[in-house]
Amino acid sequence: MTVRPVVDADAKVWDLAATVCDPEVPVLTLEDLGVLRSARATEKGALVEITPTYSGCPALGVMRDDVTQVLVENGYQDVEVRVVLSPAWTTDWMSEDGKRKLTEYGIAPPDPAHRRQGPRFGGTPVALAVKCPHCHSLDTVEASRFGSTACKALYTCKSCLEPFDYFKVL
Amino acid sequence: MSAFESATRISAGQALTAEDIAAAGLKADEPVARYALRLADDSLILAQQLSWWISRAPEIEEDIALGNIALDTLGHARSFYTYAGTAWGKTEDDLAYHRDEGDFVCAHLVQVPNGDFGQTIARQLLFSIYATLLYEGLAASSDPTLAAVAAKAVKEVEYHVDHAWQWTLRLGMGTQESAQRMQAGLNIVWPYLEELFEDDELIEELPGVAVRPSTLREPALAAITRAIREAQLEIPTTKTAVTGGRKGLHRESLGFILAEMQVLARAHPGATW
């Protein structure tokens, strides 16, 4: 889980890092996404920890640069942005505000109820409907489990006929 | 910001750099590094093979799916290489681009040519089920770095299994042509399955750290045979091949894969893009 620090100096670093948005889903901040792990003011600068959503996510490098930049612009001289892998990121860390913003942006947010149930492999997962972010219809169909990025699946709405991304539960 | 240069860099920032691991004060022991190298080589060669499909798959959604799966496995390779490299003072790029064929310790399964789409899916079915069980076990490793990479990877490869399983069903129960080609693909990859479950001296050196491959055999075979039966296909009877990938003995195909993958990095050492 990600928690804003209680010490003022650290919280200031957190709040600055939290202004950085995901380059691929620009309505979400790193805080909304749950990839901002910790923030700390150091003697001469700041130390921020972030975590990747997926192992190969190319957005991570950009997030790291952007966090560095915003802190440097705000006077922190010695900025370090560390990548931490453990514990592994889960979509459960996405904030409720983030899920709302995703929907408004046209991406269906991850729903923990869609997490795989039943046998370890195969089987037919219970097909809980994904709600269309455009017309809110539940009459939607998965076009591809892998969408424009690893974190999203591609859906089509059978009511409004619009395609849309679904942020997969991980 | 970083003095560490990488040919796989996407921007000035790195996904997981040698420096991150060094900053955490980590240095893999020699046997752990050799084990991490196996995991990395399997993932990298598979990623390279899968990426060939981008723009060539039967439909655009499939270009994207196989591209995403390749990206995930490339991510796993990068983490394992970075960790392995701490033992020898080498970067992920040193290990990926500047080792020769005989230095690679990947299994033969990932080197099997893509073949047609059915053959690629057959390879994916076998490998992704194996990988899910492997990473599930490795997430409990006494080595915290391996455990962290694996805990992340397991959730991703589960999606890869789903993808391969669904295509196996669709092709197996599709047309006569699709069933025949899916069956042919399974027959071709089947001889390379057993190598994934072989224990050896290195595994004996790493109790509690490595996952013992032989322990994955039963659950992997159970899942694979279930998928094949559900798809109304036959369990292949093709014989187990003589392999030796973990010892650096490879199929002819690995040389071609490496030639294509390494040519640019070797022609322009230290290049970044």
Side-chain angles (χ1 to χ4, degrees):
Chain A
M1 268 312 278
T2 64
V3 182
R4 185 173 177 271
V6 286
V7 179
D8 282 351
D10 297 341
K12 205 177 146 200
V13 176
W14 175 281
D15 291 343
L16 285 167
T19 61
V20 171
C21 291
D22 179 341
E24 286 173 337
V25 190
V27 287
L28 292 186
T29 67
L30 302 194
E31 187 179 32
D32 291 331
L33 198 54
V35 306
L36 187 58
R37 275 281 169 76
S38 75
R40 192 153 60 82
T42 57
E43 205 173 312
K44 281 186 185 167
L47 172 64
V48 174
E49 289 185 318
I50 57 175
T51 197
T53 54
Y54 281 71
S55 301
C57 181
L60 194 72
V62 180
M63 292 176 187
R64 179 182 232 172
D65 290 353
D66 291 351
V67 170
T68 305
Q69 195 183 333
V70 76
L71 287 166
V72 168
E73 280 170 0
N74 281 275
Y76 291 88
Q77 287 171 4
D78 183 15
V79 176
E80 190 185 347
V81 183
R82 264 187 217 159
V83 175
V84 291
L85 291 181
S86 183
W89 178 80
T90 158
T91 40
D92 295 345
W93 295 352
M94 192 183 287
S95 69
E96 288 308 313
D97 202 32
K99 289 179 184 173
R100 182 186 53 76
K101 285 194 260 182
L102 262 189
T103 311
E104 285 169 7
Y105 188 59
I107 297 175
D111 182 347
H114 293 176
R115 189 159 273 127
R116 163 179 272 289
Q117 308 282 328
R120 185 73 181 81
F121 295 118
T124 309
V126 179
L128 289 171
V130 171
K131 192 189 280 184
C132 171
H134 306 298
C135 73
H136 309 297
S137 166
L138 287 168
D139 190 12
T140 61
V141 61
E142 182 186 89
S144 175
R145 183 70 50 89
F146 295 87
S148 52
T149 61
C151 52
K152 287 174 270 170
L154 185 64
Y155 273 71
T156 304
C157 177
K158 286 157 78 175
S159 296
C160 70
L161 305 180
E162 287 288 333
F164 66 92
D165 274 333
Y166 166 56
F167 206 112
K168 285 184 287 195
V169 63
L170 191 74
Chain B
M1 185 194 82
S2 162
F4 175 67
E5 295 296 324
S6 161
T8 53
R9 67 191 296 157
I10 292 117
S11 71
Q14 284 290 317
L16 179 75
T17 65
E19 285 177 340
D20 284 318
I21 285 174
L26 291 171
K27 188 171 182 292
D29 292 337
E30 171 80 22
V32 173
R34 285 169 53 216
Y35 179 64
L37 195 62
R38 291 179 175 188
L39 303 173
D41 283 350
D42 280 356
S43 297
L44 177 69
I45 300 303
L46 186 64
Q48 175 71 15
Q49 298 257 70
L50 290 173
S51 63
W52 179 89
W53 281 101
I54 298 168
S55 82
R56 293 172 167 112
E59 55 191 28
I60 193 170
E61 288 80 5
E62 211 33 49
D63 289 339
I64 296 166
L66 290 173
N68 271 318
I69 291 170
L71 192 61
D72 285 344
T73 54
L74 183 64
H76 308 154
R78 293 188 64 186
S79 294
F80 288 130
Y81 278 133
T82 304
Y83 186 41
T86 60
W88 308 303
K90 289 186 183 298
T91 66
E92 52 176 333
D93 284 6
D94 292 335
L95 296 172
Y97 294 131
H98 299 283
R99 281 187 304 145
D100 295 328
E101 199 178 332
D103 304 328
F104 272 74
V105 281
C106 45
H108 283 210
L109 179 66
V110 296
Q111 308 168 32
V112 173
N114 282 325
D116 65 6
F117 186 68
Q119 188 171 319
T120 289
I121 292 299
R123 194 181 60 204
Q124 277 303 102
L125 181 74
L126 270 48
F127 190 84
S128 60
I129 287 173
Y130 156 78
T132 303
L133 295 164
L134 169 71
Y135 292 144
E136 201 169 47
L138 200 58
S141 170
S142 58
D143 184 294
T145 307
L146 291 180
V149 176
K152 184 129 207 68
V154 70
K155 301 201 289 178
E156 294 158 9
V157 293
E158 278 178 347
Y159 272 111
H160 305 177
V161 173
D162 255 359
H163 174 264
W165 196 295
Q166 286 173 24
W167 269 113
T168 302
L169 295 182
R170 209 174 288 147
L171 296 173
M173 296 189 286
T175 64
Q176 205 176 5
E177 172 76 8
S178 72
Q180 181 267 318
R181 287 169 71 170
M182 186 65 220
Q183 184 68 55
L186 285 167
N187 295 347
I188 287 167
V189 300
W190 197 258
Y192 307 99
L193 182 59
E194 283 298 326
E195 185 185 16
L196 301 177
F197 310 128
E198 285 172 8
D199 297 337
D200 64 7
E201 299 82 5
L202 181 59
I203 299 299
E204 301 302 333
E205 282 184 59
L206 296 167
V209 174
V211 173
R212 186 171 281 278
S214 57
T215 61
L216 304 177
R217 189 175 187 276
E218 196 187 327
L221 272 171
I224 292 165
T225 53
R226 189 156 58 83
I228 295 172
R229 292 213 172 98
E230 278 179 16
Q232 298 172 14
L233 296 164
E234 302 291 325
I235 308 301
T237 53
T238 39
K239 285 186 182 152
T240 295
V242 175
T243 51
R246 304 293 186 215
K247 294 192 184 78
L249 304 171
H250 297 295
R251 297 168 53 89
E252 185 187 23
S253 52
L254 184 64
F256 293 102
I257 296 165
L258 292 180
E260 187 174 27
M261 188 182 81
Q262 296 182 334
V263 63
L264 196 68
R266 291 202 181 209
H268 304 280
T272 60
W273 57 84

